[in-house]
Structures are given as structure tokens and as C-alpha cells.
Amino acid sequence: MSPFFKAILSASTAALIALTQAAPAHPPPRHVDACGILGGLNATDITYQHVVDCYNAIPFDSKQAGTTLSTMLTLFKDFYVFTDSALSPTATRPFSDDPVDIIGKLETIGRTKYTSDYKFHTDILNAVSSLRDAHTAYFSKGMYDDCTVNTINGQDALTYVKNYARDVTGHSHDPNARLNYLLATQSFDEERRIFVDNEGDFSLRVTVPEAPYVDYQLQCPHLTEPVDLREEWIVLPQTHIAFEDVDSFVTNICLQPAETTPPAAENSVKLLYKPVPQIIKRAEPEPEPETVTPGHQYPGAEQLLAGNATVFYHLKDRPDTGVVVCHTFLVEDEERDVVIQGLKVLNDRKVTNIIVDLQSNTGGYAGFAAFLADIFFPSSRPLTADLPSDIRVSKAVQQISAQGYNSSHSGFFDAYMYVDMKNGTGTGRYQNNDLFEHPITITRNGRTNLWTEKTNIYAETVPTSYSAAVSSFSWSDKVNNIRIVTDGLCGSACAMSAYFFTRRHNVASYSIGGTHGEDLSMFSFAGASVAKLSDVQSWFKDSNVVSPMADLPYRSLVAFSWLEMYGEGRTMPLEYDAELYRPTYRLDYTPANARSREALWNEVAAASWK
Ligand SMILES: *[C@@H]1O[C@H](CO)[C@@H](O)[C@H](O)[C@H]1NC(C)=O
Ligand SMILES: *[C@@H]1O[C@H](CO)[C@@H](O)[C@H](O)[C@H]1NC(C)=O
Ligand SMILES: *[C@@H]1O[C@H](CO)[C@@H](O)[C@H](O)[C@H]1NC(C)=O
Ligand SMILES: *[C@@H]1O[C@H](CO)[C@@H](O)[C@H](O)[C@H]1NC(C)=O
């Protein structure tokens, strides 16, 4: 590894105000309390210690903590879909989780005597993160290009990062996929139509790091002696809201605005809805303008077409091979036309083999995820996104759904949104509230709860003209002519797409990264749909049903999985069905393929088609 993990740095929600307000008419008051000091600093003067001191100065409020905890407990008891599955005994490869009793963890927090508000919120964050439901690279810049990191904080670098992936991060049930999240990745810059380097989660933190700095020792090719680097965290304030002491920090930054308070002036405010203010790396100096012409990054891979989510390449040394990159599933339906157009160009160029590259795609719409996989197999099935799914049913959910059948105010608890799989062809909507009114009982790991029957979120059928357009292409319906490439960061809808490619259509997959010689998942957090607690609260309000959860005192963002999917014919929810995450082949990152997608595509093509 090289110092891609440059300096990491950063912390806090705070004090950009000093930069954005006109100079005060009077000298600002001198502050003695820690948040007052923080609030009075210019952004560039804030250090790690300033942030830690302010956070630690916020007193613990047992009443607010009680409300927070009670809401979180109800959410995990009655709404979150994986509370029971998370109790499963130790998972099989490539996962390595111990059972997580999230209710027990929250109850333990409830019994703990806190003096620090920050510690309380951090403990909740860590408990939720232990559910691991959510995301070796080599990039580097400037003078430390091509250096290898020998040690981090005095420990072997890879061991250090792997331990961090094992103990701290929460993106996947697979520690090697979590490792991929920590290290550098590439994303597609839509404007310049090239891949650019991003730092991983090791160098970008949303909670206060363990210490004010990270020590690296590097070995560089042009130097005989190792280089010692101490990189201090840089604090990047995330809000322009002013505060001048602990009280105003809590009121202005942490607490929900009181209903009677008029909304803050639009111009100054960028709110951050986190229980713990975010720590984000300070903006780096603008990168040197690159000399790459838009769309021309690789000498050996010609970019043919770039839509908003998909990019098409033709390999020059392998004229029979084309590449379809899909870097996001957050797309308009029109992107389907881009896909058809790109595939047509490849077919016109006599391409017979296709690599679908899904690396670092963190999801979006399930419909497009299914479309992308199914368009390569036009004869096999209609283009619809269907995986059997179910939803936790509590008394409150039943009340809200009974009030809101086919109405806009009951949100996701409206049976009209779902397919009645027992009626006719099993593709039509529910015509009544049976889905929520007549739940079934499922017992998992000793917990018995009510669930809906298996259903699907209703989606319009994709016109058959799309399948017709590709039916004569030389790779269509030919599993040996198609490969996919993923990494642990392929998440959510991307994971569903990779699942459709590999399990529905039996396409061979390459998963890149992780640790040499160990397993690596193709993807992470497959098979759930996510809702925000604040949305659920508004559905209760709009339906005139009393929510069993009080609103959170803090402006926290709480999102949770409310619908779970299953692999076809499987009884374990896809989120926990470890076997379905295993790729056909695993690839190691090398200095070449980590820097250049072209190198990776050629590696996959050579391994697949000689
Ligand atoms: C903040 O920065 C401004 C502009 O650079 C400067 O005038 C001011 O004195 C600084 N304030 C503090 C508290 O350092
Ligand atoms: C791509 O995004 C732009 C900007 O949002 C939009 O105008 C355009 O319609 C999109 N194209 C497709 C194919 O979705
Ligand atoms: C659902 O609502 C739409 C729009 O109001 C209406 O056209 C449709 O007939 C309703 N369907 C049912 C089954 O109630
Ligand atoms: C089955 O679906 C059809 C049309 O989608 C509908 O008219 C009928 O009422 C449904 N039957 C039941 C029992 O819901």
C-alpha cells in the first residue's frame, strides 16, 4: 500500500460562521467554555483537540437520552427487518460475524451511567454499526508516489488496517469487503468522462479519530532509508450555524428546532443531520488540471459512449471484447435507451464478449439493476425486478396501513404499492389491505414476529421492445460470453444486479480486492430497502395514527432497512445468505490494475477468453 491514506484528518460540525459573517461591530466576547472557543475559531484554525474538548463538555441529559433510546428500541423491535436475522449463529464464508443482539446492546446502553453526551451517542452509533448493514489499493500523489506503507502507528500497515476493518467499520458482513471500503477506490467523473481516485473510509472519518494524528512509515523506491510521516487530522466544519458556548452548541447544532421556532434564514445554513457531528477531511487544494482529454484516459480502451450511469469501451488489443461500466443505479428510465445504444455500437463493431464492470457502484434503483442484468438474456424472462420480499408487521403498521390503502399519506405501508403474488399471474397490485391485515408468523433465532406474506414492490413492466432490440446481438443469451467484475463496494441495488447476473443467469464473476488468499464478497448489503425514521414519523402524522416512537431530540439521521428480499427459492434473507455473495473468481489488486481499469479489463478478458 502506498500513502493513499495521506493525511486524514478531520473533525466536527462547527464554526464556519466566522468566515461567512460580516465582521462584528464590536469585538466578539472572549469565551472560556470549550464550545465557545471552538465557535470562535476560523475553520482553518480548528484542531482535533478543540473538537474533542467541545464534544466532551456537552453534559449528558438523561431525559433526552431516555427518549432517544426508547425510540431506537421500538424501531429495532418493531420496524427494522434484520433484528432477528442478526442473531444467527456465526455466519459462513465470506462473512465472519458473531451474532448481534441489537436490542440487548441498546438495553445495556440504557443501564449504563453516562456523564458525557458524546459517549452516549457514540455508543449508540457503534451498536448500530455492529449490525454491519449498509461499505488493497495503491493510489498516491506527488512526492510519495509508488511508496509502500510499512507501518501505521508502529504496527505492520496491512495488519493495522485489517484490524480496523474487523473492529470498527460497519459496511458489510465480510471483513475483506470492509477492507475495500477503507482503502482508495476510483469513481467515474461524469463531466470529464474519466475515472478519478477517491480516498477510502480510513482517511475520511465521521467520528472523532482515536488520536490527533496518524504515524506512517513509508518505503520509497528512490530512497534507501524509510520515511517517517506524522499526518495530523484536519477538521472540516460541516455547518455554518453559529454557537458561542456549550448551551448554544447543543441548542443550535444538536437539538431538533422547536416547532414554534421560525425556520432559520435560508442563506447561511447547511444542516447536517447526524447525532455526532461529522468529521470530514478539509477540502484539498484543487487538483492540478489534468491533461487528459475528456473521455480519453486509456491508450488501449476506446470510450464509445457515456450516459449518466453507464459507459461503453472497446478494447483495442482485443477487438472481440467490449466493456460496459455501470457506476451508479441512480438513473432515469431514459438510461435504458443509452444501454441499448451502447450495446448496439459494440455489436456493430463485431464485439462478441462483454465485461460488465460494477466496481464502487453503491446502488440506486432496483428496477434498473434488474434491467441491466436481464438485457443480456433477452430470451430468459420479462424485464421486471422481482425478488420475493417481506416486511415486519406491528400493530402500528397495521393501523397506518388500514388508514392509508391507495393513498399518498401512508408511505411504504400502503398495500397498493405491492404485488399480490397469489392472485392470477402474480404480477398485479394488491386490490385491498390483505398484505398488512393478514400477516404470517415467522420465528427466527427464537424470536417470533409477524411478517407480510412474500411480495414485491410493484413496478411497471418494461416494454418488450428493449429485449427485441438486443435479441440478435452476438453475446445475447450466451453465458460464456459475459463476465462481471465487482468489489465489496458494489452495494444495495448494485448487489442485486450482481446477484441477478450470477444466480439468475449464471454469469461468472470476478471480485477484486480484499486480502490475498482469503475470500471476498462480490457485494455488500444486498436485499433491503431503506427508509428514514423521519419519513415514517410523517406517515404516522399524516394518517392520524399515534406513532409508537417519539421524535428524536437531536437532528439525527436514522435510516433503516424496512423490507428484506430473498434469493429465488431461498429461506434466509439475502442480506444474510453468505453463499450468494461468493464470486466465481477473486483477483488481487496490483499497482497496475488498481490505477487503471484498462489493465483490469485486459486481465479479466485474458483469463476468460484467451
Ligand atoms: C479569521 O479570519 C479572518 C480573515 O482571514 C481574520 O480577519 C480574523 O481575524 C480571523 N479570526 C480569528 C478569530 O482568527
Ligand atoms: C442525464 O442527466 C441530465 C442532467 O440531469 C439529464 O438532463 C438527462 O436527461 C439525463 N440523461 C438520461 C439518458 O437520463
Ligand atoms: C388507486 O388510486 C388511483 C388514483 O386515485 C385510482 O385511479 C385507482 O382506481 C385506485 N385503485 C384502487 C384499487 O383503489
Ligand atoms: C386479482 O387481481 C385482479 C386484477 O388485477 C382484480 O380485479 C381482483 O380483484 C384480484 N382478486 C383479489 C382476490 O384480490
Side-chain angles (χ1 to χ4, degrees):
M1 284 170 296
S2 81
F4 169 65
F5 325 106
K6 251 176 82 185
I8 311 289
L9 312 213
S10 62
S12 152
T13 231
L16 260 187
I17 189 70
L19 287 177
T20 57
Q21 286 188 338
H26 305 287
R30 297 198 68 79
H31 297 291
V32 284
D33 93 17
C35 293
I37 293 170
L38 179 64
L41 290 170
N42 277 345
T44 50
D45 296 332
I46 298 172
T47 66
Y48 174 92
Q49 201 58 47
H50 289 131
V51 176
V52 170
D53 289 347
C54 169
Y55 285 4
N56 286 336
I58 299 170
F60 179 69
D61 180 326
S62 59
K63 186 157 165 284
Q64 280 168 11
T67 306
T68 303
L69 204 59
S70 150
T71 293
M72 296 299 280
L73 269 167
T74 305
L75 184 77
F76 282 104
K77 281 181 177 165
D78 285 351
F79 292 86
Y80 180 64
V81 282
F82 297 130
T83 299
D84 306 346
S85 295
L87 291 165
S88 300
T90 307
T92 54
R93 292 186 310 138
F95 294 175
S96 79
D97 288 338
D98 290 329
V100 178
D101 177 6
I102 184 65
I103 304 290
K105 284 188 179 202
L106 292 173
E107 285 171 348
T108 302
I109 291 173
R111 287 191 299 270
T112 304
K113 295 238 175 305
Y114 287 93
T115 51
S116 156
D117 176 82
Y118 179 64
K119 176 87 172 85
F120 169 74
H121 285 285
T122 306
D123 282 357
I124 292 195
L125 199 66
N126 289 341
V128 172
S129 167
S130 73
L131 289 162
R132 313 222 189 267
D133 174 9
H135 320 220
T136 310
Y138 299 78
F139 310 110
S140 59
K141 291 177 192 130
M143 63 188 289
Y144 298 118
D145 242 352
D146 290 321
C147 299
T148 305
V149 180
N150 287 344
T151 65
I152 300 174
N153 291 337
Q155 212 184 4
D156 169 66
L158 189 59
T159 308
Y160 189 92
V161 178
K162 286 192 71 165
N163 288 346
Y164 188 87
R166 185 194 60 207
D167 301 333
V168 184
T169 56
H171 292 301
S172 168
H173 301 290
D174 171 359
N176 279 308
R178 300 205 291 273
L179 182 63
N180 278 3
Y181 273 95
L182 290 178
L183 302 177
T185 56
Q186 292 189 325
S187 63
F188 192 76
D189 177 337
E190 290 179 30
E191 209 140 286
R192 293 188 290 161
R193 291 187 283 123
I194 59 173
F195 287 95
V196 293
D197 298 341
N198 307 124
E199 58 220 345
D201 284 1
F202 190 76
S203 48
L204 190 69
R205 305 284 177 85
V206 293
T207 53
V208 177
E210 326 62 84
Y213 49 79
V214 180
D215 283 332
Y216 296 96
Q217 189 190 75
L218 311 180
Q219 189 66 56
C220 299
H222 53 289
L223 297 171
T224 44
E225 293 295 310
V227 180
D228 289 315
L229 272 187
R230 169 162 290 187
E231 299 279 15
E232 290 190 14
W233 289 96
I234 296 170
V235 178
L236 182 69
Q238 292 293 295
T239 175
H240 292 193
I241 300 173
F243 54 88
E244 53 187 27
D245 50 23
V246 169
D247 278 353
S248 56
F249 181 89
V250 171
T251 307
N252 300 355
I253 307 277
C254 305
L255 289 177
Q256 298 276 9
E259 301 235 349
T260 49
T261 315
E266 292 265 337
N267 54 14
S268 62
V269 187
K270 181 166 167 260
L271 295 180
L272 222 218
Y273 299 92
K274 288 273 177 188
V276 176
Q278 278 215 351
I279 299 174
I280 299 278
K281 196 174 167 185
R282 170 178 298 166
E284 294 207 5
E286 282 297 305
E288 292 292 302
E290 306 226 11
T291 48
V292 183
T293 321
H296 289 75
Q297 184 170 26
Y298 304 126
E302 183 184 354
Q303 193 181 103
L304 305 175
L305 186 75
N308 290 347
T310 51
V311 195
F312 295 78
Y313 292 88
H314 190 190
L315 299 187
K316 290 183 183 162
D317 289 343
R318 296 179 167 276
D320 60 354
T321 304
V323 178
V324 181
V325 175
C326 181
H327 51 85
T328 177
F329 284 106
L330 279 175
V331 288
E332 307 291 326
D333 280 350
E334 289 71 40
E335 189 77 9
R336 293 178 198 151
D337 301 313
V338 176
V339 171
I340 301 298
Q341 197 191 339
L343 293 178
K344 181 166 185 322
V345 176
L346 290 172
N347 189 64
D348 289 347
R349 288 181 165 223
K350 307 277 184 278
V351 161
T352 53
N353 299 322
I354 299 282
I355 297 170
V356 180
D357 185 345
L358 298 171
Q359 288 181 82
S360 306
N361 178 330
T362 50
Y365 299 114
F368 190 74
F371 173 85
L372 187 72
D374 290 347
I375 202 67
F376 291 93
F377 297 89
S379 309
S380 82
R381 62 202 330 283
L383 298 170
T384 50
D386 50 345
L387 278 184
S389 309
D390 57 18
I391 302 168
R392 279 273 288 112
V393 179
S394 61
K395 201 175 218 120
V397 163
Q398 287 190 308
Q399 286 172 334
I400 205 171
S401 64
Q403 293 292 317
Y405 174 75
N406 196 16
S407 78
S408 57
H409 57 243
S410 48
F412 298 158
F413 303 124
D414 177 353
Y416 190 66
M417 271 182 59
Y418 301 93
V419 170
D420 184 349
M421 294 173 92
K422 292 195 301 202
N423 183 2
T425 59
T427 56
R429 294 171 178 279
Y430 268 94
Q431 303 295 314
N432 52 40
N433 190 35
D434 278 357
L435 180 69
F436 293 107
E437 204 176 321
H438 302 294
I440 59 170
T441 298
I442 301 180
T443 301
R444 284 186 182 140
N445 298 311
R447 279 177 50 103
T448 300
N449 277 306
L450 294 178
W451 295 81
T452 64
E453 302 249 26
K454 297 292 184 295
T455 183
N456 282 314
I457 299 176
Y458 179 83
E460 298 291 338
T461 311
V462 179
T464 51
S465 55
Y466 287 103
S467 323
V470 299
S471 63
S472 67
F473 292 176
S474 56
W475 57 79
S476 286
D477 295 309
K478 297 201 181 84
V479 69
N480 291 330
N481 295 54
I482 301 162
R483 295 289 183 271
I484 66 165
V485 185
T486 70
D487 55 16
L489 283 72
C490 169
S492 195
C494 180
M496 289 175 68
S497 195
Y499 163 84
F500 289 135
F501 271 109
T502 54
R503 303 292 159 175
R504 184 182 274 179
H505 301 302
N506 291 313
V507 169
S509 62
Y510 289 81
S511 187
I512 184 160
T515 309
H516 178 73
E518 294 182 16
D519 288 306
L520 175 66
S521 299
M522 281 189 280
F523 47 71
S524 298
F525 54 103
S529 284
V530 174
K532 284 192 286 193
L533 174 60
S534 53
D535 289 338
V536 175
Q537 296 294 72
S538 72
W539 302 334
F540 275 108
K541 216 167 156 195
D542 295 347
S543 305
N544 287 320
V545 175
V546 177
S547 172
M549 298 173 285
D551 287 337
L552 292 174
Y554 277 14
R555 306 171 187 224
S556 315
L557 171 74
V558 175
F560 66 100
S561 304
W562 59 277
L563 171 143
E564 64 186 358
M565 297 161 196
Y566 297 74
E568 281 156 271
R570 312 285 292 188
T571 51
M572 169 90 85
L574 181 54
E575 174 78 19
Y576 283 87
D577 203 341
E579 197 184 318
L580 302 183
Y581 287 61
R582 291 166 66 176
T584 323
Y585 307 103
R586 198 189 70 77
L587 293 174
D588 286 331
Y589 276 125
T590 64
N593 70 23
R595 288 200 174 101
S596 156
R597 293 277 176 113
E598 181 197 340
L600 175 64
W601 299 331
N602 276 302
E603 207 177 317
V604 171
S608 302
W609 300 300
K610 302 298 174 252

